[in-house]
């Protein structure tokens, strides 16, 4: 049974500098809620309410965000703003949150290894702190169900344009049985950020994993790989030699909020779909586009 989620959020966020000098990129807002809160909600929605967040030195704001804030709550109560009060309290009520520091950002594989004592000997989920999946798309629930059906580990894959493969881990796969809404593949091999001409497919690894605890033993023996970092992809590649690793091919809505372009798209989409802000924003956006977008003078 999968009952614990690990959320690595200790990366340096260099792609988003200077915004991320003091503010963790995982807390950058998608309209008015930090990306990370969407991710904690996603885990809680599928019953993973034991959450271990991997943080670092410049990330204390993350712990604060998931705590109560008596002064703000008192002020909102005094004003009678019940709606905003509920939204402020929500983040501290979503799950049983635990925090541990990575010490040094030595790579995603190293961040996951830091979770070993907390996770113990059971399969667990990993949700990357800068990868937001739309709540209408049941990726994580499907991955947990496929892990129960196939055993071993399950990763999330997404088809990307060939020119994008060099930004991702890329999988070599064979067809496998699907028990849910998404195609399932047996993962035979993985390569981290290959040049397009060396990519074995256009199936890229995205930020959701359901991993067998064997991964910890493999990670302990995984040397630094690409960029001098201990790569989770390298460890899963080794794991696939001794245990089944399957890939759920996700075709829904997902945003890498650590990437500035994807972050902007996520904000525009969420803003357009919001009941309170959407109608005005969408009307403005249409006017802006009709007036020539960047050429508009309004
Ligand atoms: P990224 O690959 O986006 O790396 O990490 P990054 O360092 O945070 O960002 P850039 O590339 O410098 O802009 C994916 C996820 O893994 C976490 C990050 O916080 C992010 O949620 N991570 C990465 C760690 O927790 N520790 C690490 O050492 C590296």
């Amino acid at each position: 049974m999968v009952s614990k989620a690990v959320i690595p959020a200790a990366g340096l966020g260099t792609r988003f500098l200077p915004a991320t000098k003091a503010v963790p990129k995982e807390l950058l807002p998608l309209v008015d809620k930090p990306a990370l809160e969407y991710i904690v909600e996603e885990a809680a929605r599928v019953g993973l309410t034991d959450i271990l967040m991997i943080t670092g030195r410049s990330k204390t704001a993350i712990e604060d965000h998931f705590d109560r804030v008596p002064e703000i709550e008192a002020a909102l109560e005094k004003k009678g703003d019940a709606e905003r009060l509920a939204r402020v309290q929500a983040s501290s009520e979503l799950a049983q949150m635990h925090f541990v520091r990575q010490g040094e950002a030595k790579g995603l594989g190293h961040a996951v290894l830091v979770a070993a004592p907390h996770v113990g000997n059971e399969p667990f989920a990993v949700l990357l702190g800068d990868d937001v999946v739309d709540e209408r798309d049941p990726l994580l629930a499907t991955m947990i169900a496929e892990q129960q059906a196939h055993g071993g580990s399950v990763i999330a894959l997404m088809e990307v344009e060939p020119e994008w493969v060099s930004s991702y881990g890329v999988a070599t796969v064979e067809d496998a049985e699907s028990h849910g809404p998404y195609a399932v593949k047996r993962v035979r091999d993985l390569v981290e950020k290959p040049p397009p001409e060396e990519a074995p497919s256009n199936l890229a690894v995205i930020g959701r994993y359901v991993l067998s605890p064997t991964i910890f033993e493999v990670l302990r023996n995984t040397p630094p790989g690409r960029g001098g970092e201990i790569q989770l992809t390298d460890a899963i590649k080794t794991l696939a030699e001794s245990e089944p690793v399957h890939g759920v091919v996700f075709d829904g809505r997902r945003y890498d909020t650590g990437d500035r372009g994807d972050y902007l798209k996520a904000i525009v989409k969420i803003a357009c779909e919001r009941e309170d802000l959407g109608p005005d924003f969408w009307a403005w956006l249409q006017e802006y586009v009709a007036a020539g977008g960047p050429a508009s003078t309004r």
Side-chain angles (χ1 to χ4, degrees):
M1 239 343 245
V2 181
S3 66
K4 291 178 183 163
V6 173
I7 304 186
L12 300 177
T14 50
R15 285 170 294 165
F16 239 116
L17 284 168
T20 46
K21 271 174 82 180
V23 178
K25 72 167 165 184
E26 295 81 4
L27 288 186
L28 294 176
L30 296 177
V31 184
D32 51 10
K33 189 160 70 177
L36 194 54
E37 193 172 330
Y38 285 90
I39 293 164
V40 171
E41 283 174 353
E42 179 189 343
R45 231 178 0 255
V46 297
L48 306 182
T49 49
D50 180 327
I51 295 180
L52 178 69
M53 191 88 71
I54 316 294
T55 68
R57 206 163 297 109
S58 61
K59 306 265 183 168
T60 44
I62 291 181
E63 218 164 317
D64 293 343
H65 180 76
F66 292 97
D67 198 359
R68 302 283 303 270
V69 200
E71 311 87 278
I72 296 182
E73 292 177 25
L76 291 171
E77 247 164 47
K78 211 167 146 195
K79 273 209 240 163
D81 191 342
E83 195 192 322
R84 207 162 265 130
L85 177 64
R87 299 194 74 209
V88 164
Q89 287 173 333
S91 63
S92 60
E93 290 166 356
L94 282 168
Q96 186 75 44
M97 306 282 291
H98 308 270
F99 298 88
V100 63
R101 287 189 179 198
Q102 190 181 355
E104 220 182 309
K106 290 195 215 162
L108 178 57
H110 180 256
V112 171
L113 184 54
V114 168
H118 183 86
V119 169
N121 197 26
E122 50 184 75
F124 63 105
V126 175
L127 295 82
L128 297 196
D130 60 354
D131 214 333
V132 172
V133 172
D134 192 293
E135 64 179 43
R136 293 161 291 189
D137 296 323
L139 174 59
L140 191 56
T142 303
M143 292 175 72
I144 292 171
E146 294 291 0
Q147 194 278 334
Q148 265 149 19
H150 291 280
S153 300
V154 173
I155 63 175
L157 300 170
M158 206 162 180
E159 276 186 29
V160 296
E161 296 298 327
E163 65 266 31
W164 281 103
V165 289
S166 53
S167 304
Y168 291 93
V170 179
T172 304
V173 299
E174 289 164 12
D175 288 341
E177 192 185 351
S178 164
H179 305 80
Y182 306 117
V184 174
K185 305 283 180 187
R186 174 82 188 236
V187 176
R188 292 295 178 193
D189 199 6
L190 285 171
V191 50
E192 181 65 16
K193 301 193 168 81
E197 62 280 9
E198 284 170 29
S201 73
N202 66 341
L203 288 174
V205 179
I206 59 166
R208 297 292 178 272
Y209 309 79
V210 178
L211 297 173
S212 140
T214 317
I215 195 74
F216 296 126
E217 204 37 53
V218 179
L219 280 167
R220 279 186 200 106
N221 296 304
T222 301
R226 237 192 112 84
E229 296 192 337
I230 298 174
Q231 298 286 355
L232 184 59
T233 307
D234 291 346
I236 297 173
K237 172 191 163 85
T238 306
L239 189 68
E241 290 165 11
S242 57
E243 281 190 11
V245 175
H246 288 84
V248 165
V249 184
F250 183 57
D251 57 6
R253 293 154 280 197
R254 167 255 168 193
Y255 309 98
D256 173 3
T257 62
D259 173 84
R260 290 168 304 169
D262 239 23
Y263 174 75
L264 287 174
K265 288 176 199 163
I267 291 180
V268 170
K269 201 157 162 35
I270 290 171
C272 288
E273 292 173 5
R274 280 271 293 253
E275 268 178 30
D276 52 351
L277 302 166
D280 271 359
F281 183 66
W282 176 228
W284 172 82
L285 194 60
Q286 281 173 304
E287 264 178 51
Y288 176 71
V289 171
S296 154
T297 53
R298 303 190 50 194

